[in-house]
């Protein structure tokens, strides 16, 4: 790849270098993290620009190239995920910088930089074993983030998440072993050419899919999700639900679209779709019954993972655009909601559903953020969530499979059922103004900016769609 | 020569089975530590036998590492295992 | 039948035992971690066994390198799991006033 | 292949799943852990039989030795909450599922192509241009060096996370009981021997089985022994220790980033320098891996907290 600047590699090396340095110079961790984040954002923006103007960009690590070496490849999908990580992640991490760099904030920043590097690496990797290694880095960094406050419930949730994740990874790795034994390559593109319909490949696909579904929290394998998302610090929950939870899905899509394109829309894909639909209903029902704001958001994340899986049975370009849009808009909306809940919890002292009472008047920014992000979660126009669901439903109707569209619409109605109570509490008339504690101002601003991003995704969908089409698949 | 070495290696490997039975039945921590020691020593011997022929002389290095780390394991076992088990 | 098949079959047996340890046996943290490590051992054995199918004298070095990477990763994960387990046991109920809503993995 | 060879392989291949099964069904945890360590020994023999000498080295050091010690490290803390078997229905369900998976995977494995060179030939063709003459080192640090870069990051993240969850008051090293005479003399022997062996293994790595991970884990084994016996306190996060922790990753990131500045791909070592660069990288990695592995262990064995009764009673 001579001639063009290798921005694609810097998106991984810049956060890694920043993380390394801030471990070494712990006292200056915050400024180092800020500089590294800025460098990473520039690299991400440049990579996305290259992809938008010239199509897929790639770089062969060590100049070896497949099958001997590992290739980094940014296609439309990769660029889209890079952009998502690069917008939502730094915004969420701002809250740690706002805390003036206590030891917790330093730990958070270092682990986040590692997580960011691994997420970017995951979005760019075109090698099934390298994907395993990056997924493990994502997992360990995520567990580190969950347990960073050493709270007992967070420790228990982190341990559970770690163990289940490891089991999932090993199923995936077993699949990698079978694929390599059958085809002597690990590169996704070469695998796509060499994989033949034989027992080893199907077994590999099944093992890898099962492992990744466990890690993605697809219903009924979602039991680890609520404890992890509710006991971690809010900023970590925002990262987990918004970004890190999407990582296994990215790998899964690479697998199904690039390595096994023939299986999209088939029986196994329909099973995944059905589990997705189950997740939409079950997650939404549990969210309806939940009494704590964080639980509502955690179950809502389970439901949104379900939408992502509707892509597999449909398998069309339209469905793909819809699923990718769900991923991006949920990342922004969910992170915004978690940050807003942080403000509410800090102001009121708890996160029960009625905690939002009085927030509308005293914390208008947070209320606006809750409203805008809630619109996106519900799929009301003109939000990113609306475009996502509309694309999915349209793709289903185009294929004549109306039941998937019905699932999408029913899921939207159910989500209205659990988002409205959050907002309604804020409108409730109050005899006397409740005593509010000081809440972090920057968390309010972060939450609002993320909510605006979620909304903007619905207003400027065409440019993103152009990026998606460049993927040139499905 | 190869046959002889492999034969001896096999014999040593089979001799581990009673050790395994002792490990399974215990009942005391001391039994288990001794089994680990036995496996360490036997492992070194088998590795040396395997490394004796072929071009796999590097197996002797493995035997070396084996010998060092088996000691670490024993130390860890003595340190961490529940003390009430030592009878 | 060749040697690699012998070890390949053994690898699957080891992997299954590991799955049982991770999911089915007593639900204790250390047992689960043991199960996960054994699952990994099964996968590694399959990789190394399949590398032995090479017609030449030298086995395929790539799976060996993958296994080395895999072993190091599973040690890292094991270390983190054990550290959290130790921290949990030290933290006891005393440190968290409210009873835990989510049961720790047993 | 003679009959003796076949029998040897057969016994090893039969022992592995048997011992693995023993680990997951053993009635007590210390028995399970001990069998796990034994499993490590037996797998090291299997790696040796399969000509995977590097894997055998790492397995002997990291796989069974340090992992076994790690599992043991949690034992005193968790011991009280032992032996809660899961329900019979769950066991039966998992058992049936497992039988299915085993047969299915077994059949699939046996139907893999019987002869396949994999990438062996390609590795041999390109090894002259790589930074090492030993194929596995070449794959680890050159052909698939990017994997190893991420893997070193995994190690460092695990180390940071372990430090983060350790209770602050457990961090300063507590000196254990006085070391007994034979143990002391053993340690006196162990330290210099480990350093020599580690140096030898790094050197070997450039042309024969060996390398940073093997050497690093030997050093770590020595460090852990000193720490467990109370000879040395647990590592404190001084600047020197932090520098040692990040050295490997820092050198790796620098080696990955430097070619980018010259318009090449990442990790594209300037070819005449590939050998020395890879060797320098190995040295840096050895230091970091040794220190990181030591940080995985608690300073001294955690004892469970004294029962809270003492504090509660008036």
């Amino acid at each position: 790849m001579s001639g063009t600047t290798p921005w694609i590699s810097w998106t991984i090396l810049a956060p890694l270098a920043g993380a390394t340095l801030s471990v070494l110079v712990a006292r200056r961790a915050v400024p180092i993290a800020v500089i590294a984040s800025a460098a990473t954002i520039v690299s991400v923006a440049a990579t996305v620009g290259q992809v938008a103007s010239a199509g897929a960009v790639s770089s062969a690590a060590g100049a070896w190239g497949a099958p001997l070496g590992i290739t980094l490849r940014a296609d439309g999908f990769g660029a889209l995920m890079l952009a998502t990580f690069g917008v939502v992640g730094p915004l969420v991490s701002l809250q740690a910088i706002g805390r003036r760099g206590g030891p917790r904030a330093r730990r958070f920043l270092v682990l986040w930089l590692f997580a960011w590097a691994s997420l970017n690496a995951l979005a760019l990797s075109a090698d099934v074993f390298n994907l395993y290694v990056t997924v493990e880095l994502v997992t360990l960094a995520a567990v580190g983030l969950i347990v960073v406050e050493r709270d007992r419930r967070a420790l228990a949730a982190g341990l559970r998440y770690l163990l289940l994740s490891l089991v999932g990874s090993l199923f995936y790795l077993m699949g990698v072993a079978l694929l390599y034994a059958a085809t002597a390559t690990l590169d996704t593109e070469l695998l796509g050419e060499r994989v033949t319909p034989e027992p080893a490949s199907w077994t590999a696909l099944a093992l890898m899919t099962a492992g990744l579904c466990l890690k993605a929290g697809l219903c009924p394998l979602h039991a680890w999700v609520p404890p992890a998302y509710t006991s971690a610090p809010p900023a970590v929950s925002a990262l987990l639900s918004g970004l890190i939870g999407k990582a296994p899905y990215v790998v899964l899509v690479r697998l199904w679209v690039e390595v096994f394109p023939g299986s999209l829309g088939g029986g196994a894909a329909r099973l995944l779709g059905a589990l997705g639909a189950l997740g939409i209903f079950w997650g939404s029902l549990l969210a309806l019954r939940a009494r704590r704001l964080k639980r509502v958001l955690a179950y809502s994340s389970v439901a949104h993972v379900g939408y992502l899986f509707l892509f597999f049975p449909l398998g069309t370009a339209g469905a793909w655009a819809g699923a990718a849009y769900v991923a991006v808009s949920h990342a922004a909306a969910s992170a915004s909601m978690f940050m807003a809940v942080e403000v509410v919890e800090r102001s009121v002292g708890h996160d029960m559903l009625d905690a939002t009472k009085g927030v509308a008047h005293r914390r208008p920014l947070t209320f606006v953020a809750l409203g805008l992000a809630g619109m996106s979660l519900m799929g009301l126009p003109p939000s990113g969530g609306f475009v996502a669901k509309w694309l999915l439903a349209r793709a289903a109707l185009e294929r004549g499979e109306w039941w998937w569209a019905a699932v999408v619409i029913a899921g939207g109605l159910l989500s209205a059922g659990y988002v409205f109570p959050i907002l309604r509490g804020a409108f409730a008339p109050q005899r006397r103004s409740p005593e509010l504690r000081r809440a972090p101002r920057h968390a309010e601003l972060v939450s609002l900016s993320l909510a605006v991003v979620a909304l903007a995704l619905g207003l400027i969908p065409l440019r993103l769609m152009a990026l998606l089409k460049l993927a040139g698949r499905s | 020569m190869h046959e002889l070495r492999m034969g001896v290696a096999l014999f040593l490997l089979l001799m581990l089975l009673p050790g395994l039975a002792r490990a399974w039945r215990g009942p005391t921590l001391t039994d288990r530590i001794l089994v680990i020691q036995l496996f360490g020593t036997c492992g070194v011997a088998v590795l040396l036998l395997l490394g004796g022929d072929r071009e796999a002389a590097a197996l002797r290095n493995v035997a070396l590492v084996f010998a060092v780390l088996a000691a670490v394991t024993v130390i860890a076992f003595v340190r961490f295992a529940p003390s009430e088990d030592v009878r | 039948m060749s040697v690699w098949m012998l070890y390949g079959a053994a690898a699957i047996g080891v992997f299954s035992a590991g799955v049982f340890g991770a999911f089915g046996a007593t639900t204790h943290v250390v047992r689960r971690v043991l199960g996960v490590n054994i699952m990994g051992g099964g996968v590694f054995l399959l990789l190394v066994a399949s590398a032995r199918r090479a017609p030449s004298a030298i086995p395929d070095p790539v799976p060996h390198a993958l296994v080395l990477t895999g072993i190091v990763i599973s040690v890292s994960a094991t270390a983190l799991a054990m550290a959290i387990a130790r921290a949990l046991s030290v933290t006891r109920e005393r440190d968290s006033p409210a009873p835990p809503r989510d049961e720790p993995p047993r | 292949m003679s009959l003796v060879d076949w029998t040897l392989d057969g016994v090893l291949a039969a022992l592995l799943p048997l011992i693995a099964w023993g680990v997951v069904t053993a009635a007590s945890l210390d028995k399970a852990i001990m069998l796990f360590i034994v499993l490590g020994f037996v797998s090291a023999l299997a790696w040796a039989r399969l000509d995977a000498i590097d894997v055998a080295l790492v397995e002997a050091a990291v796989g069974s030795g340090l992992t076994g010690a790690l599992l043991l490290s949690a034992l005193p803390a968790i011991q009280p909450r032992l032996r809660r078997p899961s329900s019979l229905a769950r066991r039966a369900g998992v058992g049936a599922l497992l039988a299915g998976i085993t047969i299915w995977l077994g059949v699939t494995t046996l139907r893999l192509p019987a002869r396949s060179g994999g990438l062996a030939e390609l590795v041999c063709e390109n090894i002259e241009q790589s930074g090492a003459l030993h194929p596995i080192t070449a794959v680890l640090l050159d052909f698939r060096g990017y994997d190893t870069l991420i893997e070193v990051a995994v190690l460092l993240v695990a180390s940071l996370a372990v430090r983060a969850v350790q209770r602050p008051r457990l961090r300063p090293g507590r000196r254990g009981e006085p070391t007994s005479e034979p143990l002391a003399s053993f340690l006196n022997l162990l330290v210099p021997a480990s350093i020599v062996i580690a140096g030898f293994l790094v050197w070997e790595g450039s042309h024969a089985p060996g390398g940073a991970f093997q050497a690093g884990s030997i050093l770590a084994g020595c460090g852990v022994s000193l720490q467990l016996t109370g000879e040395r306190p647990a590592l404190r996060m001084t600047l020197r220790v932090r520098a040692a922790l990040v050295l490997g990753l820092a050198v790796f990131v620098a080696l990955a980033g430097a070619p980018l500045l010259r318009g090449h791909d990442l990790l594209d070592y300037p070819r005449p320098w590939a050998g020395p660069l890879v060797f320098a990288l190995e040295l840096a990695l050895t230091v970091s891996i040794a220190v990181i592995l030591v940080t995985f262990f608690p300073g001294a064995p955690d004892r469970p907290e004294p029962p809270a009764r003492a504090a509660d009673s008036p």
Side-chain angles (χ1 to χ4, degrees), chain A residues 68 129 132-133 136 140 143-144 147 150-153 155-160 162-164 166-167 170-171 173-174 176-178 180-182 186 207 214 226-227 230-231 292 295, chain C residues 12 15 19 22-23 29 32-33 36 39-40 42-44 46-47 50 53 60 62-63 66 69-70 73 76-77 80-81 84-85 87-88 91-93 96 100-105:
Chain A
L68 197 53
F129 184 78
Y132 161 76
V133 184
E136 290 299 71
L140 289 197
V143 173
V147 300
R150 254 190 257 126
D151 165 70
R152 183 183 163 75
R153 290 206 298 125
L155 285 172
L159 187 53
R160 185 170 178 178
L162 175 61
L163 288 178
L164 283 177
L166 287 176
V167 173
L170 287 168
F171 272 106
L173 191 60
M174 192 63 168
V176 172
L178 285 175
Y180 183 80
L186 297 161
L207 286 169
L214 177 63
T230 51
S231 58
R292 286 177 52 207
R295 294 228 145 217
Chain C
I12 300 303
F15 182 77
V19 175
F23 280 132
V29 195
R32 288 195 171 186
V33 175
V36 169
M39 278 175 78
V43 179
F44 302 152
L46 179 62
L47 273 167
S50 71
R53 295 172 302 160
D60 182 2
V62 174
L66 303 187
T69 306
I73 289 177
S76 312
L80 182 53
I84 299 178
L88 256 178
T91 315
R92 288 295 142 110
E93 289 72 15
S96 45
R101 289 174 64 123
D102 303 300
E103 281 293 305

Side-chain angles (χ1 to χ4, degrees), chain A residues 28 102 236 265 459:
Chain A
R28 299 261 173 281
V236 174
L459 298 174

Side-chain angles (χ1 to χ4, degrees), chain D:
Chain D
M1 290 289 287
S2 65
L3 186 66
V4 192
D5 282 289
W6 274 103
T7 324
L8 193 60
D9 287 321
V11 170
L12 274 175
L15 271 180
L16 286 167
L18 271 179
I19 302 177
W21 193 251
V23 174
V24 296
T25 52
S28 74
L29 278 184
D30 52 340
K31 186 152 103 186
I33 294 175
M34 188 224 47
L35 280 174
F36 179 77
I37 294 169
V38 169
L39 180 66
F41 287 169
V42 178
S43 355
L45 298 183
W47 304 135
R49 286 296 292 175
L50 286 164
D51 297 328
I53 296 171
D54 290 86
V55 182
L57 275 171
V58 171
E59 174 83 45
V62 184
S64 60
L66 291 179
T67 306
L70 265 177
L71 292 163
L72 286 167
S73 76
L75 209 49
I78 318 183
Q79 191 70 7
R81 284 187 277 152
L82 182 60
R83 291 169 201 154
R84 241 195 284 182
S86 52
S87 71
L88 191 67
R90 180 181 177 135
R91 282 180 176 220
V94 172
L97 193 70
L98 219 56
I101 292 180
T102 313
I103 293 169
W104 173 36
L105 280 181
V107 170
T108 312
T109 307
L110 296 183
R111 285 178 61 179
L112 285 171
R115 285 170 82 77
S116 156
L119 291 170
E121 231 173 88
L122 210 52
V123 170
C124 291
E125 277 167 23
N126 287 287
I127 200 159
E128 290 294 326
Q129 273 95 54
S130 81
L133 291 174
H134 179 51
I136 291 164
T137 311
V139 174
L140 270 180
L141 293 177
D142 202 337
F143 301 135
R144 297 186 66 87
Y146 175 63
D147 265 348
T148 312
L149 170 67
I150 308 272
E151 172 201 349
V152 176
V154 169
L155 271 168
L156 185 55
V157 165
S159 166
L160 296 175
V162 167
R163 296 300 289 194
V165 297
Q166 253 160 31
R167 310 229 83 205
R169 63 188 174 71
L170 283 180
R171 278 188 203 159
R174 279 181 292 165
R175 291 182 73 94
E177 301 141 35
T179 316
S180 66
E181 191 60 35
L183 186 57
S185 54
F186 170 72
L187 289 174
N188 282 339
L189 201 64
L190 181 68
V191 177
S194 301
I195 293 170
V196 171
I197 295 174
F200 169 70
L201 283 177
V202 182
W203 175 247
E204 286 281 286
S206 58
H207 56 273
F213 292 96
Q214 294 85 336
S217 39
I218 289 278
L219 286 180
C222 171
V224 169
S225 305
L226 290 176
Q227 200 168 296
L228 293 186
T229 51
E231 279 291 299
R232 282 275 176 284
L235 289 178
R236 279 162 192 268
M237 277 295 163
T238 56
L239 183 64
R240 250 198 293 173
V241 172
R242 287 205 306 269
L245 272 182
V246 300
L247 179 67
L249 187 58
V251 172
F252 221 144
V253 169
L255 280 181
L260 293 178
L261 301 175
R262 303 187 309 138
H264 292 257
D265 289 304
L266 79 156
L267 282 170
D268 185 3
Y269 312 124
R271 286 302 142 190
W273 289 94
L277 284 179
V278 165
F279 187 66
L281 179 60
E282 289 246 40
L283 282 178
L285 286 178
T286 307
V287 173
S288 287
I289 289 166
V291 179
I292 288 174
L293 289 176
V294 170
T295 59
F296 285 167
F297 286 84
D302 300 3
R303 296 274 168 230
E305 292 277 286
R309 257 177 276 123
D312 289 347
S313 59

